[in-house]
Amino acid sequence: MSSPVFVYGTLMRGRSNHRFLREARFLGPALVHGAGMYAVTPHYPGMVRAPGKAVRGEVYEVDDPTLAALDRLEGAGDLYRRELFPAVLEETGETVPAWVYLWLGPVPPGSEVPPERQPWNPARARAHRPSLQPTGPLAAAGHPGLAPFAPPNPAGPPPDRYGRRPSGRSPAGPADEKLPFRPHTRHC
């Protein structure tokens, strides 16, 4: 069985993850209404429901194994959630129901990527939003793609898949707690 999928970031033609779609049938450039695009990291965007907004991207027809591979790539419900949205193909005006991956993480303030700056382009996003410029020793060494990046999150680390937030303690107890030395012995 095949399903249309709307992509708007690294899965688009010429982008870093397009290899996942090399066997898929390209249906064309498209527009999805009712959602907005946000620069959630320096390397990829996130799309969230936003009435009155639109996102530009591409639609592909994919088979079930490719859809399963995309689910794994997109975090299988941890980073993104797959939902159906109507996608309007720009060349024909035809509306097709397409799977879309919606961002589940925090959306940094001022990170909206307006339609005139779409489709997604990481270099253009970093130029538009200086806070997305990679920093750190790797960036200073000329490796901006490898630089560490932590989006601002005043609420602390994100919750795990069960909604629990880390407490700051390791499972063994506080960091200053000394554990007794127990040599490994084998009983024969």
Side-chain angles (χ1 to χ4, degrees), residues 122-166:
R124 190 168 58 206
R126 285 191 294 269
H128 174 66
R129 189 154 174 255
S131 64
L132 288 179
Q133 291 293 343
T135 59
L138 293 175
H143 300 284
L146 301 176
F149 175 78
N153 185 359
D160 65 10
R161 69 177 57 194
Y162 305 107
R164 300 177 301 206
R165 291 195 180 272

Side-chain angles (χ1 to χ4, degrees), residues 1 8 30 46 53 59 97 103 107 122 125 127 138 140 148 164 173 179 187-188:
M1 188 167 150
Y8 55 91
K53 301 205 180 292
V59 176
W103 175 248
V107 176
L138 293 175
R164 300 177 301 206
L179 297 176
H187 299 283
C188 299

Side-chain angles (χ1 to χ4, degrees), residues 71-143:
D71 284 346
R72 286 188 300 276
L73 173 71
E74 301 293 6
D78 291 330
L79 290 176
Y80 293 88
R81 178 181 57 243
R82 181 165 44 98
E83 290 188 18
L84 277 174
F85 267 76
V88 180
L89 298 174
E90 291 182 5
E91 293 174 2
T92 64
E94 178 187 1
T95 300
V96 296
W99 289 113
V100 170
Y101 289 92
L102 295 178
W103 175 248
L104 296 176
V107 176
S111 64
E112 182 179 355
V113 180
E116 63 271 10
R117 299 188 67 80
Q118 297 175 21
W120 172 255
N121 180 323
R124 190 168 58 206
R126 285 191 294 269
H128 174 66
R129 189 154 174 255
S131 64
L132 288 179
Q133 291 293 343
T135 59
L138 293 175
H143 300 284

Side-chain angles (χ1 to χ4, degrees), residues 30-91:
L31 194 63
V32 166
H33 294 277
M37 182 188 296
Y38 298 86
V40 296
T41 80
H43 308 290
Y44 53 86
M47 182 173 155
V48 299
R49 289 185 177 278
K53 301 205 180 292
V55 175
R56 293 188 182 286
E58 300 169 343
V59 176
Y60 292 84
E61 192 171 300
V62 301
D63 58 17
D64 289 340
T66 302
L67 192 59
L70 294 178
D71 284 346
R72 286 188 300 276
L73 173 71
E74 301 293 6
D78 291 330
L79 290 176
Y80 293 88
R81 178 181 57 243
R82 181 165 44 98
E83 290 188 18
L84 277 174
F85 267 76
V88 180
L89 298 174
E90 291 182 5
E91 293 174 2

